[in-house]
Amino acid sequence: MVKICCIGAGYVGGPTMAVIALKCPKIEVAVVDISVSRINAWNSDQLPIYEPGLDGVVKDCRGRNLFFSTDVEKHVFEADIVFVSVNTPTKTRGLGAGKAADLTYWESAARMIADVSKSDKIVVEKSTVPVKTAEAIEKILTHNSKGIKFQILSNPEFLAEGTAIKDLFNPDRVLIGGRETPEGQKAIGMLKSVYAHWVPEERILTTNLWSAELSKLAANAFLAQRISSVNAISALCEATGADVSQVAYSVGTDSRIGPKFLNASVGFGGSCFQKDILNLVYICECNGLPEVAEYWKQVIKINDYQKNRFVNRVVASMFNTVSNKKVAILGFAFKKDTGDTRETPAIDVCKGLLGDKARLSIYDPQVSEDQIQRDLTLSKFEWDHPTHLQPMSPTTVKQVSVVWDAYEATKEAHAVCILTEWDEFKSLDYQRIYNNMMKPAFIFDGRNVLDADKLREIGFIVFSIGKPLDS
Ligand code: NAD
């Protein structure tokens, strides 16, 4: 029986390995992590992450051929294939701070693999890493092993949070990069045979290592660039009276462009887009390509601009001040169907409104009060380094309340901001919400999910991204 171990039981490691275990009942899959609380949650009924369909998959195979454990070394020792799916955040200090990927977790995983291995292994990069990382990993593994042979493969993950299980069941492609040596090709064949249990052969792409590593960064950069492109056009729409939905539809019907990922919004978030573009920028700079770096930087600049623009629009519309006004925030996760708040635009929007002394009442169906308070109180550095945790500032505590109902959040509010496109926000009773709000009642739809005309009929003053403005 082939044994797989995955180091890192996060948003990628957990779902990816659960699907491999489901589709390959004859393969034993162990997902290991240094976080005891995360592993305990994976072994409980309350999984550590929310993903539609994930519960069912985990329940089907947990204890059969899927195991979650903190005994990292034991499972690495036993495995034939070791996936590494640890976090690769942006460096916060030292050389490349603010741009380069922090590979500390990867390096310590690689050193541990070399240390405990007593048999040859395939080591798979599942995390998103800078191009050429495999070279560094190879050095660490070969210089620390005692005659054990390692083959490094790059197998970046393209799932999107919120649709992870669907994406894993039916991927557009699975990408495997490896060395062009006979050993490298043999390793590619072995990993291919795992995915071949359910992925059609023509969707399993094989490349050299550097192409696979760079493809993941490029794919995320392209996706984020589309969002920034349509958001840049949305600003022009508001200035001219054009409607961004009509423009995006007209543009997207061109088969060379396509309709997906053209929704204007308050901005993109999530743990990957910004970090991966920053990483791409850093790699370009290190390779003497400042013009290319500058090009990709613009994607992030437009995203920041869009979030600021939204805050300014809210404040300007509400007679130039939100001081002591109650603003209901509907949605805090960076997208629907996830509880993940990493880099969510809601953090910037809320901080912007708090800066003008608004009182916020926040509701998100999947994000806890504790998470929201921390996101709004701590800097990113403190959040990533829990030893630096500061007590919440008393001002923030007073200005922010987190509630478990959209109607409660909007009661006596001066304005509503939609910051996540949760389906349930489309079917709320907006007449009831209007009746219980202060007047004039404003709605700022940061995701363009509501029917603005219907809301106007009720009496709301409505702002949608990239749409003609209410007079
Ligand atoms: P995550 O933070 O949710 O999970 C990473 C896990 O690795 C954590 O639980 C952490 O405790 C564990 N870990 C770190 N060092 C470890 C070690 N030495 N031994 C054992 N466990 C260790 O991160 P994630 O969102 O799952 O992302 C993982 C990687 O996948 C990143 O490189 C990310 O860029 C990439 N990626 C993420 C997504 C996504 O949607 N989240 C999609 C594609 C790719």
Side-chain angles (χ1 to χ4, degrees), residues 3 5 71-80 82 112-113 115-121:
K3 286 193 176 181
C5 171
D71 198 343
V72 181
E73 298 187 358
K74 169 183 177 280
H75 289 285
V76 169
F77 169 80
E78 289 176 355
D80 305 293
V82 181
M112 184 271 300
I113 294 170
D115 209 34
V116 305
S117 294
K118 297 275 185 289
S119 58
D120 296 353
K121 293 190 194 310

Side-chain angles (χ1 to χ4, degrees), residues 187-198:
I188 288 179
M190 188 150 169
L191 188 55
K192 237 177 134 174
S193 70
V194 172
Y195 285 109
H197 280 84
W198 79 99

Side-chain angles (χ1 to χ4, degrees), residues 8-19:
Y11 287 88
V12 168
T16 314
M17 293 304 125
V19 168

Side-chain angles (χ1 to χ4, degrees), residues 6-15 32-35 38 42 49 51 72 84-89 104-106 108-110 112 126-129 156-161 216 220 271-272 275-276 334 340 342:
C6 176
I7 305 176
Y11 287 88
V12 168
V32 296
D33 205 293
I34 42 176
S35 163
R38 243 187 181 172
W42 279 111
I49 60 176
E51 258 316 320
V72 181
V84 184
S85 185
V86 298
N87 30 336
T88 50
T104 321
Y105 304 103
W106 237 108
S108 81
M112 184 271 300
K126 197 42 130 173
S127 307
T128 304
V129 290
E157 185 47 60
F158 294 101
L159 66 79
E161 284 178 38
K216 174 63 193 175
N220 272 357
S271 64
C272 294
K275 134 179 119 61
D276 292 347
F334 84 93
D340 194 353
R342 291 178 291 180

